[in-house]
């Protein structure tokens, strides 16, 4: 509760400071804004811990009771989040257990691929993709990863072809 309460207070203070500059926000507006920011951070942290960072989080959880508790909370949050995803979509022929198992397999495969790629071609540039961007990029792209290859040029259509 200590770090979470501190983060909530810092977030509320930052929101209050910004709201004073706007001049029209009430204390309720500031509280709602701070709460929404804190609530949106939880799923993102849980997803990162169980998707990209699991190869580092798992050994830490085996060595430390505190890390184990943290990883279990993140995994539990992910199960709830993915369960909600199943409930919203309710895909034909896929039950909630299968959905959760496939989601976990996808997360494990993704994290394994990210770290295998980093180990094959280690560089500071490849590590930057795992870190959040500190400021918006001029191109408007999110994150720090370098842009991928350009899309292939459009194929010329034949003279008699119709769309």
């Amino acid at each position: 509760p200590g770090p979470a309460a501190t983060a909530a207070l810092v977030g509320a203070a930052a929101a209050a400071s910004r709201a004073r500059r706007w001049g029209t926000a009430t204390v309720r507006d500031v509280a709602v804004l701070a709460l929404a920011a804190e609530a949106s951070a939880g799923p993102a942290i849980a997803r990162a811990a169980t998707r990209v960072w699991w190869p580092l989080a798992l050994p830490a959880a085996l060595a430390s009771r505190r890390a184990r508790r943290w990883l279990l909370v993140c995994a539990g949050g992910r199960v709830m989040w993915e369960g909600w995803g199943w409930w919203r979509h309710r895909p034909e022929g896929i039950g909630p257990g299968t959905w959760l198992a496939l989601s976990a397999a996808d997360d494990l495969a993704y994290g394994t691929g990210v770290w295998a790629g980093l180990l094959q071609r280690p560089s500071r540039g490849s590590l930057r993709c795992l870190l959040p961007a500190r400021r918006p990029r001029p191109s408007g792209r999110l994150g720090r990863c370098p842009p991928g290859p350009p899309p292939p040029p459009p194929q010329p259509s034949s003279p008699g072809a119709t769309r």
Side-chain angles (χ1 to χ4, degrees), residues 42-72:
I45 292 169
R47 183 170 177 89
T50 57
R51 186 167 172 86
V52 176
W53 292 100
W54 76 262
L56 299 180
L58 187 61
L62 294 174
S64 162
R65 187 174 8 169
R66 184 181 219 177
R68 186 169 35 255
R69 217 176 308 140
W70 175 80
L71 188 59
L72 285 173

Side-chain angles (χ1 to χ4, degrees), residues 13-24:
S17 171
R18 181 167 289 194
R20 273 190 232 114
R21 282 186 263 147
W22 292 338
T24 59

Side-chain angles (χ1 to χ4, degrees), residues 124-135 137 141-147:
R124 286 190 318 174
S126 58
L127 284 175
R128 289 179 57 197
C129 295
L130 295 174
L131 303 174
R134 286 183 286 200
R135 58 181 174 253
R137 301 183 78 157
R141 286 183 49 253
L142 298 176
R144 297 173 164 217
C145 296

